[in-house]
């Protein structure tokens, strides 16, 4: 069932059509009233290229407000899933706004777009934790030069399923599960063609809970990332274990029953 395992760092290994996946978790301090950090937190950092997680957070390419100032993308899509905190977004299509706390932004770069993603520290009287996933999803060759497109999935509209008598839940970003369909992805995406079987699923399990990853077609690539919790077990003829902060490539052409035997877990 498990074809390969690997440790999870800042950037996670992917398989086509996924190009890139990163998990940002930064425990930012109180804001300075200008959405940024106080000057003394910037000392000892490589400002403009700060990925060292000093004091529990990174500035990335920001100099006062952390984040990613204007930069280009082309030929793929960015799927940004914000679990905690907020992102201030602006792009060359004229879209701008703030989203977060469960919202998802799906941007098709197509023939080219520039955008910025900054992490505003909106609270001056408490810490500002930011947690998000960003996934880059390749575009089909015929869609590489499509018109750029911008889609928001607001948290309250994203399907969430209760599983295993309420001991587990699934947030459905894309890909049908248990007969439940996700929100519509952008029209030029691989994910807009059901035959591609593109799925992005976020599972949360209490201790002892079990969920099933339903089988897909032969040849489909399936990767599981255990980003929170001590371990997972794949239940079968022989138990297989995925350890803390580990990713695994799984066979996709058969059901996989996953159990959080040793404690709560998210993958």
């Amino acid at each position: 069932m498990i074809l390969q395992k690997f440790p999870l760092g800042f950037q996670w290994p992917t398989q086509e059509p996924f190009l890139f996946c990163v998990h940002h978790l930064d425990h930012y301090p109180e804001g300075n009233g200008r959405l940024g950090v106080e000057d003394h937190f910037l000392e000892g950092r490589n400002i403009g290229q700060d990925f060292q997680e000093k004091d529990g957070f990174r500035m990335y390419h920001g100099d006062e407000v952390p984040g990613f100032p204007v930069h280009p993308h082309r030929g793929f899509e960015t799927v940004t899933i914000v679990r905690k905190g907020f992102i201030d977004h602006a792009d060359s299509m004229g879209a701008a706004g703030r989203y977060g706390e469960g919202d998802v932004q799906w941007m098709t770069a197509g023939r080219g777009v520039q955008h910025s993603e900054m992490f505003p520290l909106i609270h001056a009287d408490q810490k500002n934790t930011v947690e998000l996933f960003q996934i880059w999803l390749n575009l089909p060759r015929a869609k590489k030069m499509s018109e750029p497109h911008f889609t928001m999935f607001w948290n309250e509209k994203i399907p969430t399923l209760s599983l295993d008598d309420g001991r587990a839940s699934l947030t459905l970003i894309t890909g049908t599960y248990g007969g439940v369909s996700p929100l519509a992805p952008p029209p030029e995406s691989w994910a807009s063609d059901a035959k591609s079987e593109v799925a992005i699923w976020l599972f949360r399990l209490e201790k002892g809970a079990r969920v099933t990853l339903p089988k897909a077609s032969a040849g489909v690539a399936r990767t599981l990332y255990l980003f929170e919790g001590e371990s997972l077990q794949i239940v079968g003829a022989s138990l297989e274990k995925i350890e803390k902060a580990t990713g695994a490539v799984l066979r996709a052409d058969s059901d996989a029953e996953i159990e959080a035997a040793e404690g709560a877990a998210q993958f």
Side-chain angles (χ1 to χ4, degrees):
M1 188 71 71
I2 296 177
L3 305 178
Q4 177 189 0
K5 291 198 290 186
F6 47 83
L8 296 184
F10 176 61
Q11 183 177 332
W12 298 350
T14 58
Q15 303 179 77
E16 279 277 6
F18 296 99
L19 300 175
F20 174 86
C21 183
V22 66
H23 179 214
H24 296 269
L25 179 56
D26 291 284
H27 301 287
Y28 293 108
E30 295 83 354
N32 63 1
R34 300 185 301 277
L35 305 180
V37 301
E38 296 285 359
D39 288 346
H40 66 89
F41 283 110
L42 303 178
E43 296 173 2
R45 295 179 182 271
N46 183 15
I47 295 302
Q49 195 73 252
D50 174 33
F51 288 79
Q52 65 178 310
E53 203 173 1
K54 182 176 181 287
D55 299 324
F57 67 90
R58 295 155 286 205
M59 291 298 293
Y60 303 105
H61 299 303
D63 54 11
E64 180 180 11
V65 179
F68 298 84
V70 175
H71 57 281
H73 290 304
R74 187 180 189 185
F76 60 91
E77 303 179 285
T78 62
V79 184
T80 307
I81 304 164
V82 184
R83 288 159 52 89
K84 298 176 184 176
F86 294 90
I87 292 181
D88 281 347
H89 166 92
D91 63 43
S92 55
M93 296 181 284
R98 178 173 294 170
Y99 67 97
E101 297 295 331
D103 300 328
V104 174
Q105 182 207 73
W106 197 316
M107 188 185 74
T108 304
R111 61 184 176 82
V113 66
Q114 294 196 72
H115 74 160
S116 66
E117 303 154 292
M118 306 305 291
F119 306 156
L121 308 188
I122 64 175
H123 301 295
D125 58 350
Q126 65 185 65
K127 296 187 184 301
N128 294 269
T129 295
V130 174
E131 182 185 12
L132 64 98
F133 302 103
Q134 187 166 87
I135 299 165
W136 295 4
L137 180 61
N138 206 0
L139 283 168
R141 181 176 298 179
K143 306 294 180 67
K144 283 283 188 180
M145 298 300 286
S146 60
E147 286 294 316
H149 187 90
F150 174 86
T151 300
M152 285 301 309
F153 292 174
W154 300 110
N155 179 41
E156 61 272 16
K157 295 185 177 181
I158 297 172
T160 300
L161 286 67
S162 178
L163 306 171
D164 194 11
D165 297 325
R167 297 193 301 165
S169 65
L170 164 60
T171 302
L172 205 63
I173 307 303
T174 193
T176 299
Y177 184 98
V180 177
S181 297
L183 299 175
E188 307 298 341
S189 175
W190 279 111
S192 66
D193 181 356
K195 295 191 297 293
S196 299
E197 301 181 59
V198 173
I200 302 172
W201 297 333
L202 296 177
F203 286 92
R204 182 192 301 265
L205 281 67
E206 297 177 6
K207 182 179 180 179
R210 289 188 181 188
V211 297
T212 299
L213 301 181
K215 68 178 180 180
S217 300
V220 167
R222 172 169 284 171
T223 310
L224 183 155
Y225 305 98
L226 175 60
F227 66 91
E228 188 171 307
E230 292 300 316
S231 69
L232 291 171
Q233 290 184 352
I234 299 180
V235 182
S238 60
L239 289 178
E240 297 180 278
K241 189 173 181 179
I242 299 172
E243 296 80 11
K244 181 178 182 178
T246 296
V249 177
L250 306 181
R251 280 191 58 179
D253 57 355
S254 61
D255 290 349
E257 189 174 15
I258 311 293
E259 181 180 7
E262 296 181 341
Q266 296 190 65
F267 70 90

